Amino acid sequence: MSAPKVSIRQLGICYAGAPAVRDVDLDIPKNAITAVIGPAGSGKTSILRTINLLSVDVDRAEVKGQIRVDDRDILAGGVDRVDLRRRVGMVFATPQPLPGSVYDNLVYGPRLAGTRRRADLDALVESSLRAAELWDEVKDRLRRSAFLLSGGQQQRLCIARTLALGPEVVLLDEPCSGLDPISTFKIEEMMRSLRDRFTWVLVTNNTKQAARVSQRTAFVLLGQMIEQGPTGQLFTAPKDPRTGDYVEGRFG
Amino acid sequence: MRLPDKVVERALLLLALSSVAVLASIAFFIVREGAPLIYRVGLSNFFSTDWHPTAGRFGILFMLVGSLAVTVGALALGVPLGISCAIVLGEMAPPRARRILKPAIEILAGIPSVVYGFMGIVVVLPWIREHLGGPGASGLAAAVILGIMILPTIIAISLDALEAVPMSYRDGSLAMGATEWQTVRRVVLPAARSGIVAAVILGTGRAVGETMAVVMVAGNAVQLPHSPLDPLRTLTANLALEMGYATGDHRAALFATGIVLFLIVLSLNGAAGLARRRRRPRPRPRRTASVAGVPASERIPPSPVSDP
Amino acid sequence: MNARAQRWLAPRRAQALARFVLWSLMAVAIGILILILAFVLGRGLRHVTWTFLTAMPLDSGRAGGVLPIVVGTLEVTALGVAAATPLGVGTAIYLVEYTREGRLTRIIRFGAECLAGVPSIIFGLFGFVLFVLTLGLGWSILAAGLTLAFMTLPTLIRTSEEALRAVPARYLDVSLSLGATKWQSIRKVLLPAAFPGILTGLILGIGRAIGETAAVIFTAGSSLPHRIPRSLSEGTRTLSVHFYQLAREGISADNAYATAAVLVLAISLINLGAYVTLNRFMRRYR
């Protein structure tokens, strides 16, 4: 494996003094899909939300350890949050369109980043919608409210909205929870086709989904990293018995 | 272009302190204007019965008694009516009636006090004159008008308190065979007690502080009322009536009256705050989640497609 | 337990009795409140004519209309709400988005609650000393407007705070994750989403300001204006003060009823508007 895009060392996360994640190490390779699995409450989302520092700014988490993105430690302080979040985009568990039209949602980030010209914005809207395989479905209703789309479409809109930032890393927090199997399938297809263009981190409750789309999988339990490795190996020959129990559905 | 968040936070903190600052400057100004006079004439003279401002005698006791009397009268009328309203609206009325009556009460809460006073003049005063005797303008008239005026406050806050009682309490009580009234009296009211106490205290504050309506109906004679039908003057009415022309020590005495009023109302508010201490504002889900150590998103129930 | 008491106050009987008493008391209370509204509107509306609204007052208000008074009232109210809005909304933003519950928020909330309980006559005294005398504004629309700003501040803080709390917390997550700063997120996403709720607070504040008498009489004065106010440093008489003078001095019953009707109608419509706005807003995020 070449140098990882994101490398996490000794990460600890506390909320109001209560530890949620302890001593987690995790390497996230460039231009691949890394899945993080584990039962509910194991700290997966906390880890994910710390990679773009949302946990620190919004949840008031106290963090320690290192998270290197391209060899720059983002926990060391002095990091421009805005710049970081443009490079490390995030998609949330339930579709979260902002109030406004489909178009408004897509240009929200680029406008803040300083893209003002109409033609540039239009081009960006089309390319990111195409990347999220949503263009054909919504091209005639860009001006309609984003809330009028179906749940699956809303989630792909949220992915397109993140892609419109031109990120290097895309964090997905259980992106398919609450979606029907067909929508889930479409999102997985999209991730596969865009795999080489971004570094993906997929947090999921669904071990089968991790097995289907990811190249690398990490298993977290009770705030600790139990095991990580190539997805095939982790699912077929886990080193830790708890990993085997979990992926085969014996608990969790 | 991008305002640094620290700057924004500081600026907002300044704005957020504005209400505290206003409260402090109200205290500062009325104390500055009124306290020297109290100091000069002495507390015992200030709380005497001798109010002759032109002769330099500033005793506010009759006004204090007047305020106390109309407030007690107003509570005697407003509290039973108000709490009954809240119980019926919160526990007994069908949802349809509640949907109409609740906003109606909120709208009525906005009727200006001068209108209540006017109603006193054209309805209550003649009625008292004809049926009970006396001049009409009296402590009783003021108490009746104030009792009505504090209704919306008492109803709204008590209703909030009743609505904050978890549904499961009622279900539990009813399931054990209690009647609706037994449930209300033995379960719901005790659970909502602190909120209802706060409602009564805040209603008291409103009655003590009300001015214009009282001026219009109380008769405003500076005397010790011997019966509810005697005219009397409250602290607030005294301010409203004499502020227009008072100068020098007289005006200082009125500000000193303001200090007394301010202290009364502030302690009532403090008491209401204590009574409601247990009722914290609802925290945002995100923050409760952080306290529990697990972000909200991890609590989402397993997805329906977890094993397709 | 005493057997007789048990017989007389058997649960079923107590239930029926309680229901009867409580419902009657409520009927009395609501009946009184509605009667007041009906009485004022019934006697007053027929005297509210176009001329009444658009004419100058004559003969101390015995004749003529209320035009300068309406204009003065609107100016005082608008100024009050305009000055209170940044303070109230800013406080709410700080409480909801920038701080954790703690000693500081308790102090701020306690300050706002106490301010809400301060009688209007005290605000009148305060405004008189601070604005009219100390700052030398004289009896003026400006002095009255600023005093009313402080009076409406608590309402505005409370409603804005509730409105901001009703906005889904995830909007902030989303906006931040798309490269916005916190302040940009508040300005572009959270405030617009909370706007209807904040508007409710503004409307309620307007209603309270229009109906206020005691605080205005000491800050705007009470002399009857004979022309439409030309600047904010002129004194004015607001509708409530005008009504108070008409009613108390027994100047003109007809015009008093008419003024009361204008006042009550305006405030009821304003409060109804606030209620409808709030209901729509709350339903959207339920």
Side-chain angles (χ1 to χ4, degrees):
Chain A
M1 189 171 104
S2 61
K5 175 80 181 170
V6 178
S7 125
I8 300 176
R9 289 290 173 272
Q10 302 281 300
L11 176 67
I13 306 174
C14 289
Y15 297 102
V21 168
R22 262 167 302 180
D23 290 335
V24 160
D25 291 352
L26 174 62
D27 285 324
I28 295 162
K30 196 174 167 135
N31 297 352
I33 301 174
T34 301
V36 181
I37 59 172
S42 57
K44 310 184 293 289
T45 297
S46 292
I47 297 171
L48 199 70
R49 284 169 71 86
T50 306
I51 302 178
N52 66 355
L53 296 180
L54 266 191
S55 63
V56 176
D57 288 348
V58 179
D59 312 328
R60 296 162 193 279
E62 302 123 43
V63 295
K64 54 179 197 276
Q66 277 185 1
I67 298 182
R68 295 187 166 277
V69 179
D70 286 340
D71 285 331
R72 169 96 199 261
D73 181 7
I74 62 166
L75 299 186
V79 174
D80 183 342
R81 305 290 159 93
V82 168
D83 181 59
L84 172 71
R85 288 183 191 132
R86 285 188 187 129
R87 288 168 56 211
V88 182
M90 183 159 193
V91 176
F92 297 90
T94 47
Q96 296 286 342
L98 294 173
S101 68
V102 172
Y103 190 90
D104 292 338
N105 266 277
L106 289 162
V107 301
Y108 182 77
R111 271 200 182 130
L112 288 172
T115 311
R116 297 271 163 202
R117 278 187 41 213
R118 189 54 195 270
D120 295 347
L121 291 173
D122 286 351
L124 205 51
V125 165
E126 180 170 350
S127 65
S128 43
L129 282 176
R130 280 193 192 283
E133 288 168 27
L134 191 60
W135 173 252
D136 293 331
E137 290 166 61
V138 303
K139 63 172 186 266
D140 298 322
R141 30 182 184 158
L142 294 176
R143 296 288 165 192
R144 305 262 296 276
S145 165
F147 292 112
L148 297 176
L149 302 180
S150 73
Q153 288 173 329
Q154 284 185 17
Q155 191 62 307
R156 277 179 288 147
L157 171 66
C158 292
I159 294 173
R161 184 174 66 183
T162 302
L163 299 185
L165 296 172
E168 298 155 26
V169 181
V170 179
L171 310 174
L172 300 160
D173 185 5
E174 298 178 36
C176 301
S177 67
L179 296 188
D180 61 280
I182 293 172
S183 299
T184 304
F185 175 75
K186 283 185 178 166
I187 287 176
E188 288 177 6
E189 275 300 292
M190 181 207 70
M191 287 169 64
R192 256 183 231 116
S193 69
L194 295 175
R195 182 203 309 165
D196 299 337
R197 286 170 54 192
F198 304 98
T199 300
W200 302 85
V201 187
L202 169 69
V203 157
T204 179
N205 262 333
N206 178 346
T207 49
K208 301 254 166 64
Q209 182 174 52
R212 279 196 301 269
V213 297
S214 72
Q215 284 77 59
R216 195 174 161 80
T217 299
F219 173 55
V220 199
L221 185 65
L222 299 173
Q224 282 174 311
M225 180 63 66
I226 303 301
E227 183 170 355
Q228 57 180 307
T231 298
Q233 180 193 321
L234 189 122
F235 276 85
T236 51
K239 294 191 194 97
D240 193 296
R242 288 171 293 181
T243 312
D245 286 349
Y246 182 72
V247 299
E248 278 160 42
R250 278 197 284 270
F251 75 89
Chain B
M1 189 65 218
R2 260 162 54 190
L3 274 169
D5 260 342
K6 273 287 155 208
V7 175
V8 174
E9 182 171 349
R10 286 286 143 79
L12 287 171
L13 174 60
L14 279 183
L15 293 180
L17 290 172
S18 61
S19 48
V20 180
V22 171
L23 197 67
S25 46
I26 291 177
F28 170 77
F29 277 106
I30 60 172
V31 167
R32 192 189 72 175
E33 298 291 314
L37 182 110
I38 302 183
Y39 184 74
R40 195 139 33 85
V41 303
L43 273 183
S44 58
N45 282 328
F46 186 61
F47 287 104
S48 76
T49 58
D50 191 6
W51 177 260
H52 284 103
T54 43
R57 297 203 297 272
F58 307 107
I60 62 163
L61 189 64
F62 284 152
M63 273 85 85
L64 197 58
V65 171
S67 281
L68 195 69
V70 293
T71 303
V72 169
L75 291 177
L77 180 70
V79 168
L81 281 181
I83 294 180
S84 305
C85 270
I87 294 175
V88 172
L89 285 180
E91 305 295 320
M92 299 179 167
R96 252 177 76 90
R98 196 181 316 182
R99 263 209 308 279
I100 297 169
L101 291 173
K102 224 181 132 187
I105 289 168
E106 280 170 37
I107 287 167
L108 291 165
I111 295 180
S113 51
V114 278
V115 173
Y116 283 102
F118 183 56
M119 292 302 296
I121 292 180
V122 298
V123 180
V124 179
L125 300 194
W127 192 89
I128 292 181
R129 234 179 353 247
E130 279 162 34
H131 295 87
L132 303 174
S138 57
L140 177 65
V144 168
I145 292 296
L146 282 180
I148 296 170
M149 288 182 71
I150 61 173
L151 275 180
T153 308
I154 294 184
I155 296 173
I157 300 173
S158 312
L159 200 53
D160 278 351
L162 292 175
E163 280 172 356
V165 176
M167 219 50 209
S168 55
Y169 286 26
R170 297 179 185 89
D171 293 346
S173 167
L174 292 171
M176 291 193 295
T179 64
E180 183 187 53
W181 170 240
Q182 286 171 325
T183 304
V184 168
R185 198 162 65 98
R186 296 182 189 278
V187 178
V188 180
L189 283 183
R193 195 182 57 208
S194 59
I196 293 175
V197 169
V200 172
I201 297 175
L202 291 174
T204 312
R206 175 121 205 250
V208 173
E210 178 48 46
T211 310
M212 303 322 273
V214 177
V215 171
M216 293 165 91
V217 299
N220 303 321
V222 186
Q223 62 175 22
L224 188 68
H226 293 285
S227 96
L229 300 177
D230 285 345
L232 52 75
R233 184 183 285 198
T234 64
L235 292 172
T236 51
N238 193 41
L239 286 176
L241 290 166
E242 302 193 356
M243 199 56 207
Y245 61 86
T247 50
D249 276 0
H250 185 191
R251 201 172 77 196
L254 294 180
F255 274 94
T257 313
I259 299 177
V260 174
L261 205 55
F262 190 67
L263 286 179
I264 295 175
V265 171
L266 219 56
S267 33
L268 286 173
N269 266 295
L274 282 184
R276 283 209 283 194
R277 192 180 40 196
R278 277 181 295 165
R279 292 182 52 215
R280 281 283 143 76
R282 290 156 290 154
R284 280 172 96 151
R286 185 173 64 223
R287 307 227 163 116
T288 17
S290 331
V291 170
V294 183
S297 47
E298 298 237 321
R299 297 215 189 124
I300 284 168
S303 91
V305 287
S306 51
D307 280 296
Chain C
M1 199 192 276
N2 184 322
R4 187 178 296 160
Q6 224 171 7
R7 200 170 340 122
W8 274 103
L9 271 178
R12 215 168 276 242
R13 214 182 267 254
Q15 159 80 12
L17 185 68
R19 270 191 90 100
F20 175 75
V21 170
L22 289 172
W23 274 97
S24 330
L25 288 178
M26 185 190 77
V28 169
I30 298 210
I32 292 172
L33 293 171
I34 287 174
L35 269 181
I36 292 177
L37 212 58
F39 188 85
V40 170
L41 293 179
R43 296 248 177 135
L45 273 185
R46 72 181 104 117
H47 300 296
V48 180
T49 58
W50 185 244
T51 350
F52 180 73
L53 291 174
T54 56
M56 291 290 157
L58 297 169
D59 193 13
S60 317
R62 246 171 231 105
V66 288
L67 180 63
I69 295 165
V70 169
V71 174
T73 307
L74 291 180
E75 288 185 356
V76 168
T77 304
L79 187 66
V81 172
T85 304
L87 295 179
V89 177
T91 303
I93 295 174
Y94 185 78
L95 286 176
V96 176
E97 300 299 341
Y98 279 91
T99 185
R100 230 191 281 225
E101 292 300 317
R103 184 198 291 250
L104 187 62
T105 58
R106 273 205 299 280
I107 292 174
I108 293 171
R109 280 215 181 78
F110 183 72
E113 271 169 32
C114 283
L115 209 57
V118 170
S120 49
I121 185 100
I122 299 274
F123 276 102
L125 293 183
F126 167 66
F128 176 67
V129 180
L130 177 61
F131 298 123
V132 177
L133 299 182
T134 309
L135 297 179
L137 298 177
W139 281 300
S140 59
I141 293 172
L142 195 57
L146 293 175
T147 308
L148 286 184
F150 292 156
M151 279 189 72
T152 47
L153 188 56
T155 315
L156 212 53
I157 293 175
R158 192 170 39 78
T159 44
S160 306
E161 197 186 335
E162 277 171 17
L164 280 170
R165 283 189 199 282
V167 174
R170 281 312 189 91
Y171 284 2
L172 180 62
D173 279 6
V174 170
S175 178
L176 288 177
S177 78
L178 292 172
T181 63
K182 192 161 181 179
W183 179 240
Q184 285 170 329
S185 309
I186 290 169
R187 216 156 40 90
K188 290 176 192 285
V189 179
L190 302 185
L191 278 183
F195 179 72
I198 294 172
L199 189 64
T200 310
L202 288 180
I203 300 175
L204 288 174
I206 291 173
R208 186 162 179 210
I210 289 182
E212 182 47 43
T213 313
V216 177
I217 211 165
F218 294 142
T219 48
S222 60
S223 57
L224 194 58
H226 291 287
R227 57 167 201 205
I228 291 177
R230 288 184 197 154
S231 83
L232 294 181
S233 58
E234 278 182 35
T236 189
R237 186 191 262 192
T238 64
L239 269 176
S240 310
V241 176
H242 183 58
F243 170 65
Y244 171 70
Q245 303 286 6
L246 292 183
R248 199 174 132 69
E249 311 291 333
I251 291 172
S252 157
D254 285 355
N255 276 359
Y257 277 116
T259 313
V262 172
L263 208 51
V264 166
L265 196 65
I267 291 173
S268 302
L269 289 180
I270 284 169
N271 284 356
L272 189 66
Y275 194 80
V276 171
T277 321
L278 186 68
N279 246 7
R280 287 234 177 107
F281 170 66
M282 287 307 182
R283 202 166 299 150
R284 181 168 0 146
Y285 292 117
R286 197 156 285 158

